[in-house]
Amino acid sequence: KYGRADAFLVPGAYPGLNKFIMDERLEVFHVCLHKIPALVYACSRDITKEDLALRLVKIYHHPAVSPLLQEIEIIGENFESVEATSNSEACKKLESDVDVSACITNEICADYYGLKKIQVLREGIAMPWVLFGVSRGGVKNSLTDNFDLPKS
């Protein structure tokens, strides 16, 4: 966190965002909005919709998308919700799972891991991104210059 970089970018959905905001050694340099890829409910290519409805064991997902579990249309009744640290990790966990399982991930990850997309839960939504940095003299000006951000 300190000494490795002058700044870092954090998505607004990151569960630990408040820790960075409350850290007195850090400063928010800029906030912007950028659309993220669609969020999808996906499974391995060999799993059928009937499997998901009758034999679903686990759904892997990032904590930020937990509210989307309620919106899944084809879902079993007794599944385990398993949190992952990222969309990629949710896909990797699904990939190594031998049970009938699924994940909530973004469309890019689903395509990369060769998953079958069952349902689009959210089309690309605007995500706030927060640029944090360690205040060390002229760092803020050089960062905002490099990122072509509006001057405050």
Side-chain angles (χ1 to χ4, degrees), residues 4-75:
R4 290 185 155 176
D6 291 329
F8 55 98
L9 194 61
V10 181
Y14 179 68
L17 182 64
N18 63 321
K19 293 176 186 168
F20 299 127
I21 291 171
M22 297 301 161
D23 190 324
E24 62 186 16
R25 297 167 288 187
L26 299 175
E27 186 174 346
V28 174
F29 289 166
H30 188 72
V31 177
C32 62
L33 290 175
H34 184 72
K35 279 196 174 196
I36 62 170
L39 297 170
V40 298
Y41 176 54
C43 62
S44 299
R45 293 227 174 259
D46 59 334
I47 302 294
T48 67
K49 289 181 179 182
E50 185 178 349
D51 290 333
L52 293 172
L54 299 176
R55 302 181 331 178
L56 181 65
V57 176
K58 295 177 192 154
I59 298 179
Y60 299 100
H61 62 89
H62 187 274
V65 300
S66 294
L68 299 180
L69 288 166
Q70 299 172 6
E71 298 180 24
I72 296 173
E73 295 167 359
I74 301 171
I75 192 168

Side-chain angles (χ1 to χ4, degrees), residues 91-105:
C91 294
K92 287 176 188 174
K93 285 183 173 190
L94 175 62
E95 198 174 47
S96 65
D97 195 324
V98 295
D99 293 318
V100 174
S101 296
C103 70
I104 298 175
T105 188

